Amino acid sequence: MITLPRFEAKNTAQKADTDVIFVVQDAGKKPIAPRGPYGGAIDKFRKGDSFSGKLGQIAVVSFGGKGSATHAAYVGLGLASELTAEKVRQAGGHTLSRMLAEKVTSIQVLVDSLLDLKGAADSDKFPSAFAEGYALGAYKFDKYKNLDKKGSSANEPVGPAKVIFVSKDKSMKTALAEILKDAQIVAECVSVTRDWSNEPANFGTPEYFAKDAQRLSKEYGISCKVLGEKECAKEKMDLFLAVGQGSARENKLVVVDYHPKGASKTIALVGKGVTFDSGGISIKPSMKMEDMKHDMTGAATMMGAVLLAARRKIKNRVIAVMAFTENMPDGNAIVPSSVIKTRAGKTVEVINTDAEGRLVLADALDYAQDFKPDVVVNAATLTGACGVALGKHCAGLMGNDASLTAELFRIGNELNERMWELPLYDDYFEDLKSDYADMKNSANDAMGGTIRGGMFLKQFIRKGMPWAHLDIAYTAQNMGQIPYLPKKGGSGMHVRTLAQFASEY
Ligand code: BES
Ligand code: MN
Ligand code: ZN
């Protein structure tokens, strides 16, 4: 739920419960005393072992009301020589969790103690990284909990009610208020992605997301178009419709368009929006099947990214094409061996109804290219094999343009939304050749599954169109190893990267 912290920017110290101060380590991994009145306590820490200043450690010390606050929280950032903006972002997440656990009602972040830590290449980004990590950490999804107790407190911020950032420093490139505003915007848009991803599949239907997209687009002042099954049939999106054939719910293709005046480039973002993936007739085992409510996170990621682009008023046009459907077994469901004509005119033999994401995306990618974008990027929870290949610490990245994938890789790395490129050699298409159609949607062994998914999508990219595919199957949810991401559920990962990419392209 979007329960943003209430950030305030100040240039003089205020009264607060807890002052937040930053501490780095010297080469011997001992804490270095920060400048100012809070430096003295560090000597005690240096003698004891309780606090060394490493990243993740926070020492909360009582000052009995002598300073501007009754308590100080010393936030460890690790070795001074190895400090990066990402570590500061993670410290933001740690700080939120600790303040939440201590039930602190107001904090004051001493930004100048962060600015003192010069030396690192990206030190000018530290204040915004901390605010971003803190705001991204302040997320909860409890709309279906304690329903009887839900009252006016339902939308209270997570953590301290008041979060003041104070700095006397005038050398900051961007004003503190602007930095805080952007952190709030980021958290707000990432929360949309997480909320959508977490929505239980009985509520989170194609229609639900279409309506919510319309509501959000209105709120953000951007346009939104929804195509139902009739309109999709007119658009010849038979493959997309085929996936939803076994579902009682109507497919919805949702197009959200941020189109600023004088836009020079157009970025098309295409997302897989399978609201529940049972596997269809090629049904999945029941173990962990509940996780398949997250199978629309590609679409949710593109929604978050287009909203963030709009809030930031970037110069480029961003169009999110989100294809929502539900993959269910039923008397009407498509069966293995079905041959279906795609919007692009090619035929596909469906040998496995559980390889449905690529079917949805084939038509959605073709539709998106009608807008004549300069670049197309899609995101999808496409293959379990992506977890086998890369684990859960990065997404799979594929594409047809080396400079495009390099750019996504760079930004993702910088924002710790990592991705790793896999090859799309033409040879891989051999596995997708069909005896009855132009291609089949799967193969009969488990070799290179993620690449096969990418290879299938590649067949629907028009000549000369730069395109990249992100397989987010294992980064879309349960990314709690990163301190500012939720322990469980939708991570909202790659929203920041895609919005940044759209603005820099
Ligand atoms: N939605 C799944 C992929 C997935 C699996 C995402 C696990 C997250 C966690 C996708 O539709 C799927 O079922 N893919 C198949 C492809 C296969 C049949 C070629 C898979 O991964 O087994
Ligand atoms: Mn599937
Ligand atoms: Zn799926």
Side-chain angles (χ1 to χ4, degrees):
M1 301 288 293
I2 307 171
T3 48
L4 297 174
R6 297 194 185 114
F7 286 162
E8 291 173 40
K10 300 281 182 197
N11 49 29
T12 54
Q14 311 287 306
K15 270 265 173 238
D17 284 353
T18 301
D19 277 352
V20 173
I21 187 152
F22 299 93
V23 180
V24 287
Q25 296 175 306
D26 60 21
K29 297 198 173 166
K30 290 280 187 188
I32 301 173
R35 276 197 306 147
Y38 287 122
I42 295 292
D43 288 334
K44 278 191 213 134
F45 291 143
R46 289 183 75 91
K47 281 177 203 135
D49 285 329
S50 59
F51 177 78
S52 71
K54 75 173 177 199
L55 182 63
Q57 267 191 341
I58 297 177
V60 179
V61 177
S62 168
F63 279 88
K66 274 179 256 156
S68 61
T70 55
H71 290 76
Y74 291 86
V75 175
L77 295 173
L79 283 171
S81 57
E82 290 177 5
L83 190 55
T84 60
E86 172 58 20
K87 287 185 184 172
V88 175
R89 194 179 289 115
Q90 297 194 2
H94 287 303
T95 303
L96 180 271
S97 320
R98 183 66 182 273
M99 295 299 106
L100 188 64
E102 308 257 349
K103 297 198 169 62
V104 174
T105 59
S106 63
I107 64 170
Q108 170 162 251
V109 181
L110 306 182
V111 178
D112 294 342
S113 75
L114 198 54
L115 293 172
D116 281 347
L117 309 171
K118 295 257 163 60
D122 51 2
S123 61
D124 57 316
K125 294 188 183 129
F126 290 175
S128 67
F130 183 81
E132 196 175 281
Y134 184 98
L136 284 171
Y139 176 83
K140 63 172 186 239
F141 186 82
D142 63 356
K143 70 192 269 202
Y144 299 112
K145 278 191 157 184
N146 293 320
L147 289 179
D148 49 338
K149 287 186 202 141
K150 283 266 155 64
S152 57
S153 68
N155 284 319
E156 280 302 296
V158 177
K162 202 169 175 179
V163 184
I164 303 157
F165 283 70
V166 62
S167 174
K168 296 185 185 106
D169 197 303
K170 293 197 175 69
S171 69
M172 269 193 283
K173 277 190 206 137
T174 316
L176 196 51
E178 263 174 69
I179 285 172
L180 300 183
K181 181 85 198 130
D182 190 67
Q184 299 262 17
I185 285 170
V186 167
E188 182 184 311
C189 298
V190 170
S191 293
V192 169
T193 302
R194 292 171 178 171
D195 282 350
W196 277 22
S197 183
N198 289 334
E199 193 62 36
N202 60 326
F203 293 115
T205 61
E207 189 181 0
Y208 173 90
F209 295 117
K211 283 207 173 120
D212 211 43
Q214 281 172 321
R215 174 186 71 81
L216 287 159
S217 300
K218 202 166 169 202
E219 187 187 319
Y220 281 64
I222 56 183
S223 69
C224 178
K225 192 168 128 185
V226 176
L227 281 67
E229 289 186 351
K230 251 197 202 140
E231 289 99 334
C232 289
K234 246 190 234 155
E235 284 289 339
K236 300 198 159 53
M237 304 178 80
D238 290 356
L239 200 54
F240 169 47
L241 290 171
V243 173
Q245 242 171 251
S247 167
R249 315 179 199 274
E250 191 184 355
N251 283 26
K252 301 280 183 188
L253 187 88
V254 181
V255 184
V256 173
D257 190 354
Y258 164 66
H259 195 172
K261 270 204 188 85
S264 52
K265 297 238 172 72
T266 298
I267 288 95
L269 302 176
V270 181
K272 168 181 174 182
V274 175
T275 62
F276 190 75
D277 180 12
S278 70
I281 295 297
S282 315
I283 198 161
K284 286 182 182 294
S286 50
M287 186 74 138
K288 292 241 178 148
M289 206 204 260
E290 71 273 20
D291 282 355
M292 285 301 120
K293 72 170 182 178
H294 295 297
D295 212 24
M296 32 55 66
T297 309
T301 304
M302 295 330 198
M303 187 64 188
V306 69
L307 292 180
L308 184 50
R311 272 281 197 265
R312 281 179 170 166
K313 297 191 171 64
I314 72 164
K315 290 206 182 85
N316 291 329
R317 180 182 184 189
V318 183
I319 307 170
V321 175
M322 299 167 282
F324 290 104
T325 184
E326 191 186 42
N327 188 21
M328 296 290 273
D330 170 84
N332 291 316
I334 39 164
V335 290
S337 84
S338 303
V339 172
I340 296 153
K341 193 168 164 200
T342 67
R343 185 176 190 273
K346 293 178 178 170
T347 55
V348 172
E349 180 196 5
V350 177
I351 66 163
N352 188 328
T353 65
D354 198 13
E356 86 297 342
R358 61 200 71 183
L359 308 180
V360 167
L361 285 174
D363 279 348
L365 283 166
D366 190 64
Y367 179 87
Q369 288 169 91
D370 280 4
F371 288 94
K372 305 229 171 331
D374 295 279
V375 61
V376 180
V377 180
N378 72 259
T381 48
L382 206 68
T383 63
C386 197
V388 178
L390 297 170
K392 56 183 259 173
H393 297 287
C394 63
L397 170 65
M398 284 143 275
N400 63 359
D401 181 309
S403 64
L404 170 61
T405 49
E407 188 64 3
L408 286 163
F409 174 83
R410 181 186 65 76
I411 300 171
N413 219 37
E414 189 179 310
L415 300 180
N416 199 25
E417 295 182 323
R418 293 183 295 197
M419 42 186 104
W420 196 263
E421 188 164 358
L422 298 169
L424 291 183
Y425 301 127
D426 286 337
D427 309 66
Y428 286 105
F429 189 69
E430 289 301 316
D431 308 337
L432 296 175
K433 282 193 173 151
S434 161
D435 295 330
Y436 307 103
D438 295 335
M439 69 193 87
K440 57 187 179 188
N441 74 332
S442 175
N444 283 325
D445 61 47
M447 306 268 284
T450 301
I451 293 174
R452 282 176 181 162
M455 204 61 208
F456 184 92
L457 300 181
K458 194 180 177 188
Q459 308 311 310
F460 300 90
I461 303 303
R462 297 176 194 168
K463 211 166 177 259
M465 178 64 68
W467 158 77
H469 156 53
L470 269 181
D471 193 330
I472 59 167
Y474 280 87
T475 52
Q477 67 285 312
N478 304 346
M479 290 295 285
Q481 74 271 19
I482 296 179
Y484 50 82
L485 299 184
K487 290 273 166 290
K488 283 282 290 174
S491 65
M493 206 177 218
H494 298 108
V495 168
R496 291 179 296 133
T497 296
L498 289 165
Q500 186 68 27
F501 164 78
S503 101
E504 287 181 20
Y505 193 77

